[in-house]
Amino acid sequence: MPGGRPAGSGGGTPAGGGRAVAVWGIGVLVYFFAVAFRTSLGVAGLDAAERFHINASALSTFSILQLLVYAGMQIPVGLLVDRLGTKRVLTMGILLFTVGQFGFALSESYAMALASRALLGCGDAMTFISVLRLGARWFPARRGPLVAQVAALIGMAGNLVSTLVLARLLNSLGWTTTFAGSALGGVLVLVLVTAFLKDHPEGFEPVPERSAGDTRRFGVGRQIAGAWREPGTRLGMWVHFTTQFPGMVFLLLWGMPYLVEAQGLSRATAGELLTLVVLCNMAIGLVYGQVIARHHRARTPLALGTVAATAVVWAAALAWPGDHAPMWLLLLLCAVLGACGPASMIGFDFARPANPPERLGTASGIVNMGGFTASMTTLLAIGVLLDLTGENYRIAFASVFVLQAVGVSQILRLRGRASRREEERVVASRVETVHVPAHR
């Protein structure tokens, strides 16, 4: 069949169970700390501006550089995961993001802080794709959507630590102690990964990725091209692009300044609203995972519905007459933004059945580039527009609608093609299962 073995083949189907949860849980714990480190700037943006004496554009450069590195690393990381395995890549990621967090804690200059965030972004980039691959190796394919959503949910718990714990520690302990103390979590997970993490269960080794005389077939270019040719991979990337970035931009950097400076809230109240985004993200993630696992056709309606709801509520908050939007509308905005993360995970549910297991890391990397590219673009646009307009958040935040329009147009263009291709794969897989002799 085109594209190699059907997705889900290779190495058998693992049964899951307690050991699978324990091993996968170690990988997810790594992702938890990566997200906590990634989002720590979201509650420290105003402190960073004061510490390094920078304006809005320079402040946004922190997150833009971090996401630029993250997005640029996705395909290389996917290839590394497919070739080296989860344990090695996660170990490299832990070392990088831990050193980056320590460096950020000790930074006295803007340049050193930028370099530290870039290093952190590089390590962060190695975590989520590795966790997706780990889940695919330890759990049955039918649990894929729920396993991925639970991984994202636990990652968002890392965001919750940033908004609740780090924000308070920053006020009481100061910059260096807070960030250096948090970096010790990286040391903890490094020990756990080294001692206990396994790439796959006994007897479920992956299919070899290259064999003698077949080197060209599994070349890097061929691997990337094969994943990109699948409409499901491209659709997944655009779903991730369109759904993730509004919530990411809000949590990663601009939510706190917007709520404090544009809406006149105290830092404590703004922190509570950011916490609401995270809590809604976690709750909605569980719902989306269950729905998609049981009703595969719900993927596109859920993704487009989330985009529509985000656009409507975001527009209402920006267009509200007067200086400040009412609290009920800000609560609704934060609740809706909480759906962005779970909706972005749907992108992986389009790419997963479109690619064979030995190409899943590469395909996941392509998908993951989508949302982080959109987030990086929006972070830059908001920072530049704030400086150009004298910190007019209404104009700056309106840049969100441009990227949403681009993403929706691509989703609508690709969804039919991806659906037909997925149905062809399912039919071919069933035919192969029926006609392949049992002794093969």
Side-chain angles (χ1 to χ4, degrees), residues 257-273:
Y258 168 73
L259 294 171
V260 173
E261 296 178 352
Q263 296 300 326
L265 302 179
S266 67
R267 281 200 183 197
T269 303
E272 291 169 358
L273 287 176

Side-chain angles (χ1 to χ4, degrees), residues 38-397:
R38 177 204 305 168
T39 57
S40 57
L41 186 61
V43 295
L46 298 176
D47 298 89
E50 181 179 346
R51 180 180 178 89
F52 302 114
H53 310 290
I54 53 178
N55 60 13
S57 296
L59 180 60
S60 66
T61 303
F62 275 124
S63 297
I64 292 165
L65 177 62
Q66 186 178 333
L67 293 185
L68 178 63
V69 172
Y70 187 105
M73 285 289 293
Q74 289 309 294
I75 292 178
V77 167
L79 292 166
L80 285 173
V81 171
D82 286 337
R83 282 159 172 72
L84 300 180
T86 300
K87 184 170 185 174
R88 293 179 183 176
V89 177
L90 273 181
T91 300
M92 289 188 288
I94 295 166
L95 289 171
L96 289 170
F97 71 60
T98 302
V99 172
Q101 189 77 338
F102 270 123
F104 195 58
L106 301 175
S107 294
E108 296 292 342
S109 69
Y110 180 58
M112 182 178 176
L114 277 177
S116 298
R117 295 305 285 187
L119 199 62
L120 193 156
C122 188
D124 182 17
M126 297 182 174
T127 58
F128 190 62
I129 293 176
S130 297
V131 171
L132 287 178
R133 174 67 174 251
L134 197 66
R137 288 299 182 197
W138 281 88
F139 293 97
R142 68 180 183 276
R143 296 186 186 174
L146 184 59
V147 168
Q149 288 285 2
V150 171
L153 182 153
I154 296 173
M156 287 308 297
N159 199 331
L160 195 62
V161 168
S162 293
T163 56
L164 290 178
V165 180
L166 285 183
R168 287 176 170 79
L169 291 177
L170 199 60
N171 289 330
S172 59
L173 300 179
W175 181 281
T176 300
T177 302
T178 297
F179 283 103
S182 68
L184 294 175
V187 178
L188 168 65
V189 292
L190 179 61
V191 172
L192 292 175
V193 166
T194 303
F196 301 111
L197 192 131
K198 303 288 185 184
D199 282 356
H200 49 76
E202 296 283 338
F204 292 94
E205 290 77 8
V207 175
E209 294 180 20
R210 62 170 76 231
S211 58
D214 198 22
T215 301
R216 186 182 170 201
R217 181 182 175 189
F218 290 99
V220 170
R222 200 78 176 262
Q223 184 92 343
I224 296 171
W228 180 257
R229 275 197 300 268
E230 294 294 341
T233 304
R234 301 198 303 277
L235 176 60
M237 184 194 73
W238 283 108
V239 167
H240 200 268
F241 177 100
T242 314
T243 54
Q244 186 205 45
F245 77 95
M248 174 68 72
V249 166
F250 203 79
L251 285 172
L252 197 61
L253 183 62
W254 290 120
M256 179 70 77
Y258 168 73
L259 294 171
V260 173
E261 296 178 352
Q263 296 300 326
L265 302 179
S266 67
R267 281 200 183 197
T269 303
E272 291 169 358
L273 287 176
L274 293 179
T275 302
L276 176 63
V277 178
V278 177
L279 292 174
C280 289
N281 189 306
M282 297 169 71
I284 294 169
L286 285 176
V287 174
Y288 278 17
Q290 292 281 4
V291 170
I292 294 170
R294 297 176 183 177
H295 308 285
H296 221 44
R297 294 185 182 276
R299 292 173 298 174
T300 302
L302 281 177
L304 292 177
T306 301
V307 174
T310 303
V312 168
V313 179
W314 195 284
L318 296 182
W320 192 268
D323 293 334
H324 306 310
M327 180 56 72
W328 67 264
L329 183 54
L330 294 177
L331 288 168
L332 181 60
L333 173 64
C334 291
V336 171
L337 289 175
C340 292
S344 72
M345 296 299 300
I346 297 172
F348 298 102
D349 294 320
F350 283 109
R352 189 182 300 109
N355 291 275
E358 64 269 21
R359 205 169 61 202
L360 185 58
T362 305
S364 297
I366 293 172
V367 172
N368 216 22
M369 281 182 62
F372 288 93
T373 301
S375 297
M376 179 178 60
T377 304
T378 309
L379 284 167
L380 176 61
I382 290 175
V384 170
L385 288 171
L386 284 173
D387 285 340
L388 290 177
T389 61
E391 299 194 352
N392 187 321
Y393 280 90
R394 293 187 178 187
I395 295 175
F397 273 29

Side-chain angles (χ1 to χ4, degrees), residues 414-434:
L414 288 166
R415 62 175 180 170
R417 197 181 315 171
S419 178
R420 289 190 296 272
R421 176 68 169 153
E422 192 171 305
E423 288 174 4
E424 290 171 4
R425 279 186 170 273
V426 170
V427 171
S429 179
R430 287 172 180 168
V431 170
E432 185 173 289
T433 300
V434 171

